[in-house]
Amino acid sequence: MQRRNTKQRQIVLENMQKRMGHFTADEIYLQIHAKDPHISRGTVYRNLQFLADDQQIRRIKMPNSSDMYERNLEDHDHMICRMCGKILDVGPIHSRVDQKVGKLSGYADIQHTFLFSGICPACQKKLKKQKKQ
Ligand SMILES: [Zn+2]
Ligand SMILES: [Zn+2]
């Protein structure tokens, strides 16, 4: 059983490492399922949780939708388009902020989640076209 768990975790991790970008657990399940139909949704979800807790992948908390996962562990923040939901990596912008906040508050092991939102260039073009019509 233990062995099987490890193998499935490996499949999930390898799938993440192959792809740049930000995906919901459901999208990742579908990617894996296309190749490996035996793997269940629950298994993929559980392994994503495990890998994120273990900091082998990164989990991004989204305010109004499901959590997303990505393989990029470098310090960076996120910009989301309010029209199409496209997510872009930005930064690192706040790399020193954890230290500062730690000093101010006396807290240790500071983490943060910043999420910027805006209108992406593709959607800006769409909006301009709509205005012209
Ligand atoms: Zn957009
Ligand atoms: Zn990212």
Side-chain angles (χ1 to χ4, degrees), residues 80-85 117-120:
I80 184 167
C81 176
R82 286 194 295 271
M83 285 184 67
C84 66
S117 78
I119 309 292
C120 79

Side-chain angles (χ1 to χ4, degrees), residues 123-133:
C123 289
Q124 290 173 40
K125 268 187 203 161
K126 264 187 237 161
L127 281 175
K128 265 188 199 160
K129 265 190 199 164
Q130 279 173 7
K131 272 182 197 160
K132 276 181 196 164
Q133 278 168 6

Side-chain angles (χ1 to χ4, degrees), residues 2-122:
Q2 189 55 41
R3 221 196 161 93
R4 210 174 135 225
N5 284 343
T6 313
K7 198 186 156 210
Q8 288 172 331
R9 185 166 304 147
Q10 199 56 35
I11 292 172
V12 174
L13 184 60
E14 274 168 18
N15 180 73
M16 287 302 294
Q17 284 169 341
K18 261 187 275 176
R19 296 164 206 273
M20 250 343 227
H22 310 82
F23 306 99
T24 63
D26 212 45
E27 285 168 337
I28 294 160
Y29 163 70
L30 291 173
Q31 291 163 359
I32 295 172
H33 187 77
K35 277 191 168 178
D36 207 329
H38 300 295
I39 205 158
S40 75
R41 193 176 294 250
T43 302
V44 172
Y45 276 51
R46 235 177 303 121
N47 280 301
L48 284 170
Q49 295 280 359
F50 179 92
L51 290 167
D53 290 343
D54 202 39
Q55 297 186 348
Q56 297 189 57
I57 59 173
R58 177 162 158 172
R59 177 173 37 218
I60 311 151
K61 293 256 172 228
M62 304 300 281
N64 299 315
S65 59
S66 322
D67 292 351
M68 307 205 84
Y69 296 89
E70 70 173 329
R71 70 162 209 217
N72 184 358
L73 294 172
E74 276 168 41
D75 184 15
H76 68 277
D77 296 304
H78 293 101
M79 170 76 85
I80 184 167
C81 176
R82 286 194 295 271
M83 285 184 67
C84 66
K86 186 179 175 210
I87 298 174
L88 194 73
D89 287 341
V90 288
I93 296 167
H94 294 98
S95 48
R96 299 264 172 82
V97 92
D98 289 359
Q99 252 174 296
K100 273 189 200 158
V101 169
K103 262 189 198 160
L104 285 172
S105 64
Y107 281 43
D109 191 20
I110 316 293
Q111 298 177 4
H112 72 257
T113 311
F114 281 108
L115 183 63
F116 301 94
S117 78
I119 309 292
C120 79

